[in-house]
Amino acid sequence: MLKVSLFVILAALLPLALAAPAQSEEMVLTPGGLRPKSSVIQIPEGGSINLTDTEVHLLDASKRVIHVSPRSDAKVRASPVTNATVPEQSGWISFAYWRRINFPIQNFFTTWVVPPTPATNHGQTIFLFNGLEPDTGDSILQPVLQWGPSVGGGGPFWQFATWYVAGATSFFTPLLDVSVGQSLQGIIQFTRKNADGTFNYVSEFAGSSGVALSNSPELTWAYETLEAYSVTTASDYPTGCTPFFGISISTVDGATAPVSWGITNDDFDGVHTYINVNGGSNGQVTTCYPL
Ligand SMILES: *[C@@H]1O[C@H](CO)[C@@H](O)[C@H](O)[C@H]1NC(C)=O
Ligand SMILES: *[C@@H]1O[C@H](CO)[C@@H](O)[C@H](O)[C@H]1NC(C)=O
């Protein structure tokens, strides 16, 4: 009798227990916008990500699968700013984009200098990165500089990490401190085409450990991006401009890519990206903050 009542009580509570976390789950900030905390996973040292047809696997340094999540075709680009009549929106504020033309991208290098500390702190987060996405837009591989909080930690100081943000799950390497004025080089490299037509990549900041991605769709779109969240006033941004320079994009045939950047801006906030030098060798685009 006791057994039966316990079972009945447990059976009655189970759906609640299952439903509750989903409804009340803490949302955390990633370079793909706000995500449920349980779907944002730190990559261990030497870790890698492997895609199967239906799943995303996180592997540790010894290639043991330590996390599995479903693949999703949800778009990862965090609401690009298209409504220039509303100030201080969140998402991709200003960015340069280019899709490869003839051959897949082999290497994508970009250097930028850690900007000045924003004059005011309203809990905002600033992300600066170069990144590659597949045509589906459902994932992005990106070495990211950030100021302000994200799920990886952070606060009113600059830190960097490599991220793989996918439709359902996001992965990041531990955040490392970096000083104002320091130079960073973000690197994304194709390493192999697999028999099934999928592609392998690695991404990191030069001199630090990043992440390897296996069995990905080809990453075709290149970006240089300023992304921001919870900016309330112009002084929540750094001052001056951030040149993304030394941009080098080569293709798998060994050629320099014929890069011609397109630009999206949130001019209403006074944030603007300029094209300085097109082309896949020593290219430059510059993102300027509000005056
Ligand atoms: C990645 O997943 C594919 C498909 O399941 C599998 O064939 C391959 O061995 C895996 N690679 C690694 C490094 O685990
Ligand atoms: C921009 O946002 C405003 C305020 O939310 C809205 O009224 C307007 O329709 C939006 N415009 C576009 C083009 O989305």
Side-chain angles (χ1 to χ4, degrees):
M1 187 62 193
L2 181 62
K3 259 184 191 165
V4 169
S5 335
L6 266 179
F7 176 79
V8 168
I9 291 165
L10 284 175
L13 286 176
L14 191 57
L16 286 175
L18 288 176
Q23 278 163 17
S24 64
E25 184 164 2
E26 186 189 344
M27 300 298 280
V28 294
L29 189 60
T30 75
L34 285 169
R35 301 296 186 94
K37 191 170 185 181
S38 63
S39 71
V40 188
I41 316 288
Q42 187 170 311
I43 302 166
E45 182 79 24
S48 56
I49 292 159
N50 187 26
L51 306 184
T52 73
D53 287 347
T54 54
E55 292 173 336
V56 184
H57 293 179
L58 176 63
L59 286 68
D60 66 11
S62 60
K63 304 275 178 244
R64 206 164 46 96
V65 176
I66 54 172
H67 184 271
V68 175
S69 55
R71 281 179 77 166
S72 154
D73 57 8
K75 298 283 176 281
V76 294
R77 187 187 301 172
S79 43
V81 174
T82 51
N83 188 339
T85 62
V86 181
E88 319 303 6
Q89 297 183 90
S90 287
W92 289 30
I93 304 297
S94 185
F95 58 99
Y97 56 90
W98 178 72
R99 188 189 184 277
R100 66 91 167 164
I101 299 168
N102 299 319
F103 292 94
I105 292 170
Q106 170 77 55
N107 294 314
F108 180 19
F109 299 98
T110 302
T111 302
W112 67 101
V113 172
V114 178
T117 302
T120 50
N121 179 7
H122 291 105
Q124 75 273 23
T125 298
I126 312 283
F127 293 118
L128 290 160
F129 60 84
N130 63 328
L132 288 181
E133 281 188 14
D135 280 342
T136 52
D138 67 0
S139 56
I140 182 167
L141 186 59
Q142 46 180 176
V144 181
L145 172 67
Q146 77 171 63
W147 192 94
S150 79
V151 66
F157 41 81
W158 293 101
Q159 294 190 307
F160 66 95
T162 302
W163 289 77
Y164 177 67
V165 175
T169 319
S170 305
F171 301 88
F172 63 98
T173 61
L175 280 115
L176 298 173
D177 292 341
V178 66
S179 311
V180 170
Q182 205 170 321
S183 233
L184 291 170
Q185 187 187 39
I187 300 174
I188 304 158
Q189 293 180 289
F190 160 82
T191 53
R192 195 170 99 116
K193 189 167 180 184
N194 303 298
D196 63 359
T198 60
F199 287 66
N200 295 358
Y201 295 91
V202 291
S203 179
E204 73 264 330
F205 279 102
S208 70
S209 66
V211 62
L213 170 66
S214 302
N215 296 352
S216 168
E218 186 199 337
L219 303 180
T220 48
W221 284 91
Y223 295 100
E224 308 284 0
T225 301
L226 164 69
E227 180 177 356
Y229 293 87
S230 305
V231 165
T232 55
T233 176
S235 57
D236 287 351
Y237 284 110
T239 49
C241 300
T242 294
F244 293 95
F245 61 98
I247 299 174
S248 165
I249 304 185
S250 59
T251 45
V252 295
D253 59 332
T256 300
V259 179
S260 176
W261 294 106
I263 299 287
T264 296
N265 282 312
D266 183 12
D267 278 326
F268 195 74
D269 287 0
V271 180
H272 196 99
T273 296
Y274 301 88
I275 303 166
N276 305 114
V277 184
N278 272 315
S281 170
N282 215 12
Q284 182 173 321
V285 301
T286 298
T287 297
C288 292
Y289 306 105
L291 288 176

